[in-house]
Amino acid sequence: MTITKSERSTVAFHDLQAVKKLRQLAEAPFDLTKPGNLTPERIGKYTAEACGYKLFYGTERIDDQVMSTLQELAEEADVISKMQKMQSGEVLNFIDGYESEERMVLHTATRDFFNNPIASKEAIELARKEVDKLDRFMIKVDEDDHFTDMIMIGIGGSYLGPEANYLALEHLHKENRRVHFVNNIDPDNLAEVLRKVNLETCLIALVSKTGTTLETMTNAESIRAKIEEAGLKPRKHVITVTMQGSPLDDKRKYLECFYMWDWIGGRYSSTCMVGGVPLAFALGFENFWEFLRGAHAMDKIALNKDIHRNLPLMAALLGIWNRNFLHSPTLAVIPYSNGLRRFPAHIQQLDMESNGKHITQKGKRVDFETGPIIWGEPGSSAQHSFYQLIHQGTNIIPLEFIGYKLCQSKQDMDYDGTTSQEKLLSNLFAQAIALATGEQSDNPNKTFEGNRPSHLLMGRQLTPSSLGALLSFFEHKVAFQGFCWGINSFDQEGVQLGKVLAKKIINLFANKHGLHRGGDYPLGEAFLKQIQTL
Amino acid sequence: MTITKSERSTVAFHDLQAVKKLRQLAEAPFDLTKPGNLTPERIGKYTAEACGYKLFYGTERIDDQVMSTLQELAEEADVISKMQKMQSGEVLNFIDGYESEERMVLHTATRDFFNNPIASKEAIELARKEVDKLDRFMIKVDEDDHFTDMIMIGIGGSYLGPEANYLALEHLHKENRRVHFVNNIDPDNLAEVLRKVNLETCLIALVSKTGTTLETMTNAESIRAKIEEAGLKPRKHVITVTMQGSPLDDKRKYLECFYMWDWIGGRYSSTCMVGGVPLAFALGFENFWEFLRGAHAMDKIALNKDIHRNLPLMAALLGIWNRNFLHSPTLAVIPYSNGLRRFPAHIQQLDMESNGKHITQKGKRVDFETGPIIWGEPGSSAQHSFYQLIHQGTNIIPLEFIGYKLCQSKQDMDYDGTTSQEKLLSNLFAQAIALATGEQSDNPNKTFEGNRPSHLLMGRQLTPSSLGALLSFFEHKVAFQGFCWGINSFDQEGVQLGKVLAKKIINLFANKHGLHRGGDYPLGEAFLKQIQTL
């Protein structure tokens, strides 16, 4: 494939004119608590809309001047041109002047099937070939009518996105079709799943880009043994998703092998076969296809220069305002949607692994804050958990709410004059208002200081297509923030040291079994010695 | 019951001598990255032990002087005497000079059955009566052999602890006994659970201390309708856990009513009937009893003045060092244990709702940081998710690891010379070391700055008893921090404003259904208007 290296000159974040202006504006941010400041007009005015979603950001601490300066920041940092380069396949995953991955970032190609393709014909063809293979494979699975359960074995990006998306759409599952996830090397994880299934009717999906991930390969080996113990043939039960030529690419050993490429990062792999295999198995290929369609629609929106149309860019800039100028270390992602109960865990990886970086793409130590700490649980439940601290704690926590006008279920009930969905939405809107305005009281313990910023991304209903758009929204939000900061959002060198040291300690355990792996490692031995007496 | 008001004079946090000393010591905290500083001897030396757990804190940025000053802090703040007062039933839940709850804090009485009771005889008798009632009820359930599934309907403290504990011990479940949790008012939550069960063999547990919680009462009403639709009698399927005299205390309507009291906060209710009902149903009463025994053992440890024995106090002080002196806004709780996969969500509530406070018990705005933002996911999975940011991001994130020498499962497999459990532990120890020491490199992208502090609580195996001890460890850690800070860790006024505003918006929805609830609320109407076009 022809690869174009991206133009590498970028102005450092702190040298952007807009950053200097924003620093001044942040000295007196909009006061949401001042009577008359948060009005119905403001809520209507600060609303952006695209792809069936509305973004309400009137409860952020922004005004017209902040918003126009954020738009300037986006222009100065040239983020739309970078997004175009990303989607068209230039090499954006690099560190200038140092050994680095030097890869394209082309997860958008895995759904660039609908209109006005921007990725290279070659990438789209590769991606499409796998989609068609998946379609054919699932037709066969349906015809054979043998498999009821899928056990998907993968970790990190080969687990969090697929699980979050599967749970979001689980209500659409075909009769007698379920997916279970084994991700942890903790043997209790596999045991937990094995208690729930009959291996005889299980399709196993092993997912590892390199085919060498310690946790995944260990669990793969454990389940192979279980399959054989049960008198079954692994060859008839196991499919893989991996890169061509990896140890998992072997049609003699596996029922089918689906491919991904070095231009898809694990955390960006939800729309390639990593996410496709479980969704198509459980919900049918058509639902996976609609999921891709939704993601693609948001990819197109991400190319729009106007932040009032480009929702992911808008959210990225609001995040930068809260992170770099109002100095919030964390961001809570709170879906008011039961289907999205594991979605924050996926966004946590997507964002923190992408933007938790301490050097720029030029290899310089940053002198500003990069990616925030992302965490969250579903509302309204979370109101009864950690909202106490959000309302009255000593840290300001910006919130990113997600909500839907309609529930997925047809079972909503009217009780005391309103439906449960209406009560859920009432809680959602009430929180955005309460956090913003706060409330004074003569009792200091009943005082709410307010000025807790939030915005709300609101859709009509959580469907395969709107889920795809939501996923793409977050993928591009993260990329836009990385473009503004001038960091490489697409590698993860920070996970390497732990892997190296873990291998040393694994060798110590192996030595104890008499295997003579060598590797004197006193710090590791200190821990092993301490646990002997437990 | 005789109630003694606690002595209310406490020295403000910032006026403690130890706090002044610690501020000086924090100017040059122990450097874990310096060669020769993190040694095997250090790991052995900074180890405390109690109740079958070891706490390894050599990878924190502390030295002997810091530790002795933290011990001084505990003494100056008189935390052991406060813990004694708490466990013996003095009123600690108050704000001096203002209207407040004025309640005892006696969750420890719900397990004070084993030796040297400290709670009042009256409280212990009340608690014991419910335990015995539970035992009898479950004997009857076993004899009837009718119920296979329990649906527990509760939110916040009536959900997070019970779910976390149930999942931690799920492998011990009786044959054909499962518990499902409905917490969210989102109707998709109830629908999701109803897809999995047969109502005919379902025991429903409604859990609400006041019997008025919006979410719980709405879901209770929905499920009552479902039961009747199925031609079943609610009276034969529904039990409740509530305060005496609440709307849920009605033996004519419910099969059984279990009691709790105003001296048990929701987030501290795991060892009363709130946690007892699901555990005893699924795992048998004996396992619940062992859980209580473990919690009680740690309660006793929490009365010890020596921080090297008193593990929860040790962890509390290490947390204060990281929070108030090294200024970390968050704390990641990472169990390397599949059973504990939802335990961080419980600790998140327990800690953030308890200590996310902005005034002292004297009603003064604090001028220091209180409770941190708590978040976490299980390791080793998390290594493939957000550890990138922990190693190389721009915020320092202290970590609280939890691990066990043995897995729960009997299915661990040897692969490539070591078991999965050994690989899991290798990863755990490796992370503590890597985060502490970091690593230099000529490639700035492969540089790890280190000095990321962590400690590790390590047990032999996750069992009912060790889970009880773990739960109590965190309950007391949170209480000790609150005692040091001089805040009231036992109320939650910060959740009230949202509830009030939500009701206003619910009225707007009701008005749209023609119910004339009145209540002009323009800010709420602004949101309702905006979603019309979605």
Side-chain angles (χ1 to χ4, degrees):
Chain A
M1 202 182 294
T2 324
I3 289 174
T4 318
K5 283 202 182 174
S6 184
E7 168 62 55
R8 297 186 175 200
S9 74
T10 42
V11 183
F13 183 67
H14 268 178
D15 294 333
L16 296 171
Q17 288 304 312
V19 166
K20 290 171 189 170
K21 277 198 228 171
L22 287 164
R23 220 180 287 146
Q24 285 179 342
L25 292 170
E27 285 170 18
F30 188 81
D31 185 355
L32 293 160
T33 69
K34 201 175 151 194
N37 265 7
L38 181 62
T39 59
E41 295 68 37
R42 182 179 164 90
I43 289 166
K45 175 180 171 183
Y46 291 117
T47 297
E49 186 170 4
C51 278
Y53 280 96
K54 284 190 177 187
L55 183 69
F56 301 112
Y57 58 104
T59 46
E60 293 280 0
R61 300 193 67 185
I62 52 87
D63 56 20
D64 288 347
Q65 218 181 342
V66 169
M67 291 316 297
S68 64
T69 316
L70 287 172
Q71 172 92 53
E72 278 170 48
L73 169 59
E75 285 159 18
E76 259 192 283
D78 209 15
V79 299
I80 296 301
S81 131
K82 285 180 187 165
M83 179 56 70
Q84 277 163 339
K85 288 175 181 173
M86 188 188 90
Q87 292 195 23
S88 56
E90 288 191 30
V91 170
L92 288 183
N93 175 357
F94 68 84
I95 302 291
D96 222 359
Y98 295 94
E99 190 217 323
S100 66
E101 295 190 326
E102 301 273 343
R103 292 179 189 158
M104 303 184 291
V105 181
L106 259 182
H107 47 280
T108 49
T110 63
R111 58 234 189 187
D112 199 358
F113 309 136
F114 299 90
N115 54 33
N116 307 322
I118 174 171
S120 73
K121 215 176 143 203
E122 207 176 339
I124 297 174
E125 275 174 10
L126 281 170
R128 185 59 195 253
K129 204 172 148 189
E130 297 307 308
V131 170
D132 292 341
K133 198 201 284 184
L134 179 68
D135 191 12
R136 286 193 306 272
F137 182 81
M138 290 303 165
I139 289 171
K140 184 82 172 47
V141 166
D142 286 351
E143 282 171 1
D144 293 350
D145 199 20
H146 175 72
F147 295 119
T148 58
D149 293 77
M150 171 178 284
I151 300 178
M152 179 156 166
I153 297 182
I155 196 166
S158 301
Y159 157 60
L160 291 160
E163 183 192 55
N165 296 327
Y166 168 71
L167 292 176
L169 302 174
E170 196 186 6
H171 63 296
L172 300 174
H173 74 86
K174 296 181 161 198
E175 220 186 317
N176 280 323
R177 285 277 175 90
R178 295 284 176 176
V179 183
H180 314 266
F181 296 86
V182 175
N183 67 95
N184 206 310
I185 198 162
D186 184 340
D188 294 339
N189 189 184
L190 180 60
E192 170 213 340
V193 168
L194 289 177
R195 282 197 301 272
K196 296 180 188 160
V197 297
N198 172 6
L199 273 180
E200 211 269 312
T201 58
C202 266
L203 181 62
I204 317 288
L206 305 181
V207 186
S208 168
K209 190 169 155 184
T210 59
T212 60
T213 314
L214 173 75
E215 287 88 343
T216 305
M217 297 315 287
T218 303
N219 279 319
E221 215 31 55
S222 298
I223 207 157
R224 194 193 48 74
K226 289 283 161 201
I227 292 171
E228 288 177 352
E229 269 174 41
L232 303 167
K233 296 204 175 87
R235 164 90 188 66
K236 304 222 161 173
H237 287 264
V238 184
I239 63 174
T240 67
V241 183
T242 192
M243 285 204 298
Q244 221 158 350
S246 100
L248 288 179
D249 177 21
D250 188 343
K251 287 278 294 246
R252 289 161 308 174
K253 284 171 70 181
Y254 305 111
L255 195 52
E256 184 59 277
C257 301
F258 294 98
Y259 297 131
M260 59 194 298
W261 308 272
D262 76 350
W263 36 269
I264 297 186
R267 57 196 177 272
Y268 295 94
S269 66
S270 284
T271 53
C272 77
M273 290 303 103
V274 174
V277 159
L279 287 187
F281 175 78
L283 322 174
F285 178 83
E286 322 71 54
N287 280 316
F288 175 58
W289 186 252
E290 287 310 303
F291 172 68
L292 295 184
R293 189 194 300 279
H296 174 74
M298 191 62 87
D299 295 343
K300 290 288 175 207
I301 289 295
L303 297 169
N304 203 305
K305 282 190 174 156
D306 180 1
I307 61 172
H308 300 95
R309 281 289 292 159
N310 188 333
L311 298 191
L313 178 54
M314 167 74 87
L317 293 168
L318 291 169
I320 284 178
W321 172 246
N322 286 325
R323 177 69 168 145
N324 297 100
F325 302 99
L326 304 187
H327 302 296
S328 293
T330 83
L331 170 69
V333 175
I334 313 285
Y336 276 66
S337 162
N338 180 65
L340 294 179
R341 61 197 177 280
R342 284 295 288 166
F343 200 72
H346 172 55
I347 301 309
Q348 186 175 57
Q349 176 192 30
L350 176 65
D351 200 320
M352 292 175 74
E353 193 162 73
S354 294
N355 289 341
K357 303 287 164 72
H358 69 320
I359 63 158
T360 67
Q361 250 181 321
K362 295 186 168 302
K364 296 248 164 35
R365 179 67 166 86
V366 297
D367 55 353
F368 53 88
E369 302 292 338
T370 59
I373 299 157
I374 307 285
W375 56 283
E377 287 278 323
S380 66
S381 306
Q383 294 171 202
H384 297 256
S385 168
F386 52 75
Y387 273 45
Q388 164 66 40
L389 186 145
I390 295 183
H391 282 284
Q392 291 190 322
T394 52
N395 281 105
I396 301 283
I397 300 169
L399 293 100
E400 193 152 67
F401 292 120
I402 305 166
Y404 293 92
K405 183 181 179 179
L406 308 175
C407 59
Q408 295 177 315
S409 161
K410 293 183 183 73
Q411 310 200 357
D412 199 359
M413 208 189 92
D414 205 299
Y415 167 57
D416 195 26
T418 51
T419 65
S420 291
Q421 180 68 15
E422 287 168 342
K423 293 184 185 83
L424 178 69
L425 292 178
S426 298
N427 274 281
L428 168 53
F429 300 146
Q431 289 297 331
I433 297 167
L435 290 162
T437 63
E439 191 170 67
Q440 292 307 308
S441 166
D442 291 339
N443 184 335
N445 203 26
K446 299 187 179 193
T447 295
F448 295 79
E449 294 176 352
N451 274 327
R452 268 70 175 158
S454 69
H455 61 256
L456 162 57
L457 186 70
M458 187 89 201
R460 180 175 172 79
Q461 194 177 32
L462 184 59
T463 62
S465 157
S466 70
L467 177 66
L470 184 72
L471 176 85
S472 166
F473 166 88
F474 278 101
E475 288 176 351
H476 296 317
K477 177 196 159 195
V478 166
F480 279 130
Q481 291 192 333
F483 295 158
C484 288
W485 287 325
I487 59 176
N488 180 2
S489 302
F490 308 108
D491 65 359
Q492 55 280 325
E493 290 294 342
V495 305
Q496 295 306 324
L497 177 58
K499 287 188 193 175
V500 172
L501 300 189
K503 272 186 198 152
K504 289 190 189 189
I505 304 180
I506 290 174
N507 283 342
L508 299 180
F509 275 112
N511 291 341
K512 287 174 65 179
H513 296 306
L515 286 181
H516 309 295
R517 290 267 172 85
D520 185 39
Y521 189 46
L523 279 176
E525 272 156 17
F527 280 107
L528 264 58
K529 187 181 157 198
Q530 281 297 329
I531 64 167
Q532 273 175 20
T533 52
L534 273 175
Chain B
M1 200 180 298
T2 326
I3 288 175
T4 317
K5 282 203 181 170
S6 185
E7 167 64 57
R8 299 192 173 198
S9 75
T10 42
V11 184
F13 184 67
H14 267 178
D15 294 333
L16 297 172
Q17 288 305 313
V19 166
K20 289 171 190 168
K21 275 197 229 171
L22 287 164
R23 220 180 287 147
Q24 284 178 342
L25 292 170
E27 284 170 20
F30 187 79
D31 185 354
L32 293 160
T33 68
K34 202 175 151 196
N37 266 7
L38 181 62
T39 59
E41 294 69 37
R42 182 179 164 89
I43 289 167
K45 174 180 172 183
Y46 291 117
T47 297
E49 186 169 5
C51 278
Y53 279 96
K54 285 191 177 186
L55 183 69
F56 301 112
Y57 58 103
T59 46
E60 293 279 0
R61 299 192 68 183
I62 51 88
D63 55 21
D64 287 347
Q65 218 182 342
V66 170
M67 292 316 297
S68 64
T69 316
L70 287 171
Q71 171 92 52
E72 278 170 49
L73 169 58
E75 285 159 19
E76 261 192 281
D78 209 15
V79 300
I80 296 300
S81 132
K82 287 181 185 162
M83 178 56 69
Q84 276 164 339
K85 289 175 180 174
M86 188 188 92
Q87 292 195 24
S88 56
E90 288 193 29
V91 169
L92 289 184
N93 175 357
F94 67 84
I95 301 291
D96 221 1
Y98 296 93
E99 188 218 325
S100 66
E101 295 190 325
E102 301 273 342
R103 292 179 190 160
M104 301 185 292
V105 181
L106 258 183
H107 47 280
T108 48
T110 63
R111 58 232 188 189
D112 199 359
F113 309 135
F114 299 89
N115 54 34
N116 307 319
I118 175 171
S120 72
K121 213 176 142 205
E122 206 177 339
I124 296 174
E125 274 173 10
L126 281 170
R128 184 59 195 251
K129 203 172 148 190
E130 297 308 308
V131 170
D132 293 341
K133 197 201 284 183
L134 179 67
D135 191 10
R136 287 193 305 274
F137 182 81
M138 289 305 164
I139 288 171
K140 182 84 172 50
V141 165
D142 286 351
E143 282 170 3
D144 293 350
D145 198 19
H146 176 72
F147 296 119
T148 58
D149 293 77
M150 170 178 282
I151 300 178
M152 177 154 169
I153 298 182
I155 196 167
S158 301
Y159 156 60
L160 290 162
E163 184 193 53
N165 296 328
Y166 169 70
L167 292 177
L169 302 174
E170 196 186 7
H171 64 297
L172 300 174
H173 74 86
K174 298 180 162 203
E175 219 187 315
N176 278 324
R177 284 277 174 87
R178 295 284 175 176
V179 184
H180 315 265
F181 297 86
V182 175
N183 67 94
N184 206 310
I185 198 162
D186 183 340
D188 294 338
N189 189 184
L190 181 60
E192 169 212 338
V193 168
L194 289 177
R195 280 197 302 271
K196 296 179 187 160
V197 297
N198 171 7
L199 272 179
E200 213 269 313
T201 57
C202 266
L203 181 61
I204 318 288
L206 306 181
V207 185
S208 167
K209 189 168 156 184
T210 60
T212 60
T213 315
L214 173 74
E215 286 89 341
T216 304
M217 298 315 286
T218 304
N219 279 319
E221 216 31 57
S222 298
I223 206 157
R224 194 192 49 74
K226 290 282 160 198
I227 292 171
E228 287 177 350
E229 269 175 40
L232 303 167
K233 294 202 175 87
R235 164 95 188 61
K236 304 223 160 175
H237 287 263
V238 183
I239 63 175
T240 66
V241 183
T242 191
M243 284 205 297
Q244 222 159 347
S246 100
L248 288 179
D249 176 21
D250 189 342
K251 288 276 295 239
R252 290 163 308 177
K253 283 172 71 180
Y254 305 112
L255 194 53
E256 184 59 278
C257 302
F258 294 99
Y259 297 132
M260 58 194 299
W261 309 272
D262 75 350
W263 36 268
I264 297 186
R267 57 195 176 274
Y268 295 94
S269 66
S270 285
T271 52
C272 77
M273 290 301 104
V274 174
V277 159
L279 287 188
F281 175 78
L283 322 174
F285 178 81
E286 320 72 52
N287 280 316
F288 174 58
W289 185 253
E290 289 308 303
F291 172 68
L292 296 184
R293 187 193 302 276
H296 174 74
M298 191 63 86
D299 296 343
K300 290 290 176 205
I301 288 296
L303 297 168
N304 203 304
K305 281 191 175 154
D306 180 1
I307 61 172
H308 299 95
R309 280 289 291 158
N310 189 332
L311 299 191
L313 178 54
M314 167 73 89
L317 293 169
L318 292 169
I320 284 179
W321 172 246
N322 286 325
R323 177 69 168 144
N324 297 101
F325 301 99
L326 304 186
H327 302 295
S328 292
T330 83
L331 170 69
V333 175
I334 313 285
Y336 276 66
S337 161
N338 180 66
L340 295 179
R341 61 197 178 280
R342 285 295 287 167
F343 200 73
H346 172 53
I347 301 308
Q348 185 175 58
Q349 176 193 29
L350 175 66
D351 199 320
M352 293 175 73
E353 194 162 70
S354 295
N355 289 341
K357 303 288 165 70
H358 69 321
I359 64 157
T360 68
Q361 250 182 320
K362 295 186 167 301
K364 297 248 163 32
R365 179 66 166 86
V366 297
D367 56 352
F368 52 87
E369 302 293 337
T370 59
I373 299 156
I374 306 284
W375 55 283
E377 288 279 323
S380 67
S381 307
Q383 293 171 203
H384 296 257
S385 169
F386 50 75
Y387 272 45
Q388 164 66 39
L389 186 144
I390 294 183
H391 282 284
Q392 292 190 323
T394 53
N395 282 104
I396 301 284
I397 301 168
L399 292 101
E400 194 153 63
F401 292 119
I402 305 166
Y404 293 92
K405 184 181 178 178
L406 307 176
C407 59
Q408 296 177 314
S409 161
K410 293 184 184 72
Q411 310 200 357
D412 198 359
M413 207 188 92
D414 205 298
Y415 167 57
D416 196 25
T418 52
T419 66
S420 291
Q421 180 69 14
E422 287 169 341
K423 292 183 185 83
L424 178 69
L425 292 178
S426 300
N427 273 281
L428 169 53
F429 301 145
Q431 289 297 330
I433 297 168
L435 290 162
T437 63
E439 191 171 70
Q440 292 306 307
S441 166
D442 291 338
N443 184 336
N445 202 27
K446 299 187 179 194
T447 295
F448 295 79
E449 294 176 352
N451 274 326
R452 269 69 175 158
S454 69
H455 60 256
L456 162 57
L457 187 70
M458 188 89 201
R460 179 175 173 79
Q461 192 176 33
L462 184 60
T463 63
S465 158
S466 70
L467 177 67
L470 184 72
L471 177 84
S472 166
F473 167 88
F474 277 101
E475 288 176 352
H476 297 317
K477 178 197 157 193
V478 165
F480 280 129
Q481 291 192 334
F483 295 157
C484 288
W485 287 324
I487 59 177
N488 180 1
S489 302
F490 308 109
D491 65 357
Q492 55 281 325
E493 290 293 343
V495 306
Q496 295 305 325
L497 178 58
K499 287 188 192 174
V500 172
L501 301 190
K503 272 187 197 150
K504 290 191 188 188
I505 304 180
I506 290 173
N507 283 342
L508 299 180
F509 275 112
N511 290 342
K512 288 175 63 178
H513 296 306
L515 287 181
H516 309 296
R517 292 264 172 87
D520 186 37
Y521 189 45
L523 279 176
E525 271 156 17
F527 280 107
L528 265 56
K529 186 179 157 200
Q530 281 297 330
I531 64 167
Q532 272 174 20
T533 51
L534 273 175

